Amino acid sequence: MTDKVEQAAPTVREVRPANKRGAARLAAAQALYQMDVGGVSATSVINEFTAFRLGKELDGEQYRDADPQWFKDIVKGVVADQKFLDPFIHTALNEGWPLKRIDSLLRAILRAGAFELLRRKDVPPKVIISEYIDVAKAFYQDDEPGLVNGILDRLAHDLRNSELDVPEPVADAGDNLDAGGE
């Protein structure tokens, strides 16, 4: 018998349905939270989530089908890069708000989003930001999704500014003519 107390992942509120990568992001935030508050190893939490949660029913809760490789990549990547990610996230926080003052779940969401901005160059930064706003909305209904937006947007401008400053295509003047035309 172990003295370690199992920490349950936070309960998810109803939000718009996620695709498999979105569900993987949500599960990764839960797993990172569980690791933070419960002292569980990455290997242990990855095994638990892939065996018992991703796409499965647990204690009457149906978990969405998620991309297991995307989930694993996020969790392992955050753990591997955390010594870089935490100070980087801290630079985007307001003065006087160190990362350690941020709620554990919110910290997990920010770490996962920062990891993707740093390492997943195949995903546009606006998509990453939007997905993690949705993850935050699954757990919070107050200011937290806006905080996630602001922090990840600052990080995206630091890491991938050239991808964010792409001008919108200008419509051809002929596109706005009435059906009757000239």
Side-chain angles (χ1 to χ4, degrees):
M1 187 134 76
T2 179
D3 291 341
K4 188 180 253 186
V5 176
E6 291 281 329
Q7 293 291 329
T11 305
V12 179
R13 292 185 317 112
E14 275 302 310
V15 293
R16 68 184 172 110
N19 60 30
K20 285 188 174 197
R21 283 187 179 175
R25 289 177 173 107
L26 184 105
Q30 290 177 299
L32 292 165
Y33 167 83
Q34 188 168 325
M35 290 170 59
D36 192 30
V37 299
V40 182
S41 73
T43 301
S44 174
V45 80
I46 287 169
N47 289 341
E48 175 192 337
F49 272 70
T50 54
F52 302 111
R53 294 183 189 225
L54 303 182
K56 307 216 174 25
E57 184 179 330
L58 177 68
D59 298 329
E61 298 263 346
Q62 180 64 44
Y63 282 74
R64 295 197 185 279
D65 194 20
D67 180 332
Q69 191 57 51
W70 201 265
F71 165 78
K72 290 175 193 175
D73 288 348
I74 294 169
V75 173
K76 287 180 179 181
V78 168
V79 170
D81 287 342
Q82 190 168 336
K83 286 187 170 131
F84 174 76
L85 294 173
D86 284 2
F88 189 58
I89 294 167
H90 177 78
T91 65
L93 293 170
N94 288 334
E95 188 78 27
W97 277 93
L99 186 58
K100 66 183 177 186
R101 279 187 70 185
I102 303 291
D103 172 77
S104 294
L105 178 57
L106 197 53
R107 236 184 355 252
I109 294 167
L110 292 171
R111 285 172 175 155
F115 165 75
E116 283 201 57
L117 287 169
L118 177 66
R119 301 287 183 210
R120 296 306 312 226
K121 304 293 186 192
D122 57 321
V123 181
K126 289 181 180 183
V127 170
I128 293 168
I129 294 167
S130 176
E131 289 280 326
Y132 282 101
I133 291 169
D134 286 345
V135 170
K137 286 178 180 177
F139 300 105
Y140 301 102
Q141 51 191 343
D142 294 322
D143 298 331
E144 291 85 353
L147 178 69
V148 168
N149 182 25
I151 299 297
L152 293 182
D153 186 63
R154 281 185 225 152
L155 297 177
H157 277 88
D158 288 345
L159 288 169
R160 298 168 68 176
N161 196 43
S162 64
E163 294 175 66
L164 295 170
D165 291 335
V166 177
E168 294 293 322
V170 178
D172 184 15
D175 292 343
N176 294 326
L177 294 177
D178 291 340
E182 279 188 27

